[in-house]
């Protein structure tokens, strides 16, 4: 097979290709790369000439990669990550003047206590930087990191992360009970099992880790409402006798706005920990390292 002459190819096109693979949109890819839509379309046309393949095909509203594009990304992705890792330490970062766009993933449990504080830090220390937050639970976090859609994930995720991912445990927490009724005494186990419950569930079912703990005691609860967002709890608990069992860092943030009180669980509360995981390719990047430090400080605040 003849050797490819790299001098005849603009290697910047590979960055455009990788961004198109992540965004699946010419417009969004151009925005990330600070390119106009015509310039991004022109780069895509040149990529098609280089690889002799359409690379992306529009099917309805979707912008889908071809089989050849997926094959190319398997080889180009790790190469670009290696180059990024090699260059990162030599690229200085000044949060006061730089205009970096950060992309992170965050579980709902971590976003509620983290983002208000982190946003204040960014506006104060890095006013020209921007931040995109993707919802990331234990199922989606590994793929978001592996694809490069995000550079880091904050949340209750530990399993199945990419092999080169770095990780750091940020908090050691436990579950507590949230309630909106004015009862003075902490909830008892009998009352806990008798009263209706709201459950935040990513799987769409009405059972979770708390139900497993209750089953060990030979008890059960009655879950009548499943939600996908912790921020809805103050609204749905108000004016009812419903209970919600949530991580303590979520409960403290929601209760701080009034209308809710926190009780300890009337049974041994299962532990939970917030984890920070990031791509190995960004480990030495000064900007990414700066953001990780601010996330740690904001969450512990």
């Amino acid at each position: 097979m003849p050797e490819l002459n790299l001098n005849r190819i603009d290697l910047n096109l590979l960055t455009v290709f990788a961004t198109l693979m992540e965004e699946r949109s010419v417009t969004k890819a151009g925005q990330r790369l600070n390119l106009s839509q015509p310039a991004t379309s022109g780069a895509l046309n040149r990529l098609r000439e280089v690889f002799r393949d359409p690379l992306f095909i529009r099917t309805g509203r979707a912008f889908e990669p071809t089989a050849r594009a997926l094959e190319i990304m398997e080889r180009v992705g790790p190469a670009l990550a290696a180059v990024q890792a090699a260059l990162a330490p030599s690229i200085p970062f000044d949060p006061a003047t730089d205009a970096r766009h950060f992309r992170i993933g965050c579980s709902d449990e971590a976003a509620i206590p983290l983002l208000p504080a982190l946003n204040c830090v960014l506006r104060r220390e890095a006013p020209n930087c921007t931040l995109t937050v993707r919802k990331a639970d234990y199922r989606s976090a590994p793929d978001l990191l592996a694809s490069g859609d995000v550079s880091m994930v904050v949340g209750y995720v530990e399993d199945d992360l990419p092999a080169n991912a770095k990780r750091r445990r940020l908090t050691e927490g436990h579950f507590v009970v949230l309630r909106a009724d004015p009862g003075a005494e902490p909830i008892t186990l009998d009352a806990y099992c008798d009263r209706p419950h709201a459950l935040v569930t990513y799987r769409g079912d009405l059972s979770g880790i708390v139900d497993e703990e209750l089953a060990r005691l030979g008890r059960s609860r009655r879950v009548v409402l499943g939600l996908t967002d912790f921020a809805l709890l103050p609204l749905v608990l108000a004016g009812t006798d419903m209970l919600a069992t949530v991580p303590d860092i979520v409960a403290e943030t929601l209760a701080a706005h009034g209308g809710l009180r926190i009780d300890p669980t009337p049974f041994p509360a299962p532990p939970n920990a917030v984890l920070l995981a990031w791509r190995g390719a960004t480990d030495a990047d000064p900007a990414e390292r700066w953001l990780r430090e601010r996330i740690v400080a904001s969450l512990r605040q």
Side-chain angles (χ1 to χ4, degrees):
M1 186 173 180
E3 185 173 322
L4 181 65
N5 185 356
L6 293 178
N7 292 329
R8 298 177 57 188
I9 297 175
D10 181 359
L11 296 182
N12 290 320
L13 292 175
L14 297 182
T15 301
V16 177
F17 171 73
T19 307
L20 285 166
M21 286 292 292
E22 293 172 8
E23 295 292 350
R24 308 293 170 90
S25 164
V26 172
T27 300
K28 292 181 179 179
Q31 290 171 346
R32 276 185 59 184
L33 296 168
N34 292 319
L35 295 175
S36 66
Q37 185 165 347
T40 310
S41 297
L44 175 57
N45 289 333
R46 293 196 297 276
L47 282 163
R48 286 167 167 162
E49 293 175 2
V50 169
F51 291 111
R52 300 178 182 178
D53 187 87
L55 298 179
F56 298 92
I57 298 174
R58 187 169 297 282
T59 56
R61 294 186 177 181
F63 193 59
E64 298 293 339
T66 64
R68 175 67 172 139
L70 293 171
E71 177 189 352
I72 294 167
M73 190 61 186
E74 285 186 5
R75 301 184 181 187
V76 169
L80 289 176
V83 171
Q84 183 182 31
L87 294 177
S90 64
I91 302 175
F93 174 69
D94 180 3
T97 60
D98 283 6
R100 181 72 172 258
H101 181 62
F102 296 105
R103 300 166 65 87
I104 70 172
C106 208
S107 71
D108 192 37
E109 307 97 310
I112 288 175
L114 169 65
L115 293 182
L118 181 61
N119 185 54
C120 289
V121 169
L122 287 171
R123 301 282 50 81
R124 182 176 65 250
E125 298 184 20
N128 299 314
C129 290
T130 54
L131 174 68
T132 295
V133 181
R134 296 281 301 273
K135 179 168 281 192
D137 58 29
Y138 65 94
R139 296 170 301 179
S140 61
D143 288 340
L144 288 171
L145 284 173
S147 67
D149 283 353
V150 300
S151 63
M152 67 188 79
V153 169
V154 189
Y156 298 100
V157 288
E158 290 200 42
D159 299 328
D160 300 322
L161 293 176
N164 67 340
K166 310 288 185 179
R167 64 197 73 193
R168 178 177 178 178
R169 193 173 292 256
L170 300 184
T171 67
E172 297 288 349
H174 58 277
F175 283 85
V176 296
V177 179
L178 268 182
R179 53 193 284 197
D181 64 282
E185 298 299 323
I187 197 79
T188 66
L189 181 57
D190 286 340
Y192 181 91
C193 294
D194 289 341
R195 287 171 61 165
H197 289 254
L199 172 68
V200 176
T201 168
Y202 298 122
R203 295 178 299 186
D205 56 11
L206 296 180
S207 179
I209 188 172
V210 167
D211 299 281
E212 296 173 6
E213 295 296 323
L214 288 172
R216 293 188 180 96
L217 301 175
R219 305 296 295 266
S220 62
R221 63 176 176 169
R222 184 165 57 97
V223 179
V224 300
L225 177 64
L227 304 168
T228 59
D229 192 335
F230 282 95
L232 292 173
L233 287 175
L235 300 176
V236 301
L237 295 182
T240 76
D241 64 343
M242 293 175 65
L243 306 175
T245 308
V246 303
D248 52 353
I249 59 171
V250 175
E252 290 164 5
T253 303
L254 295 179
H257 295 281
L260 296 175
R261 58 172 284 183
I262 301 173
D263 282 359
T265 57
F267 53 87
N272 59 83
V274 175
L275 187 80
L276 172 63
W278 62 96
R279 290 166 53 84
T282 67
D283 187 50
D285 186 318
E288 293 286 332
R289 187 166 58 243
W290 176 87
L291 182 61
R292 292 195 298 268
E293 291 170 354
R294 296 309 181 272
I295 287 175
V296 170
S298 296
L299 196 56
R300 289 181 174 174
Q301 179 183 349

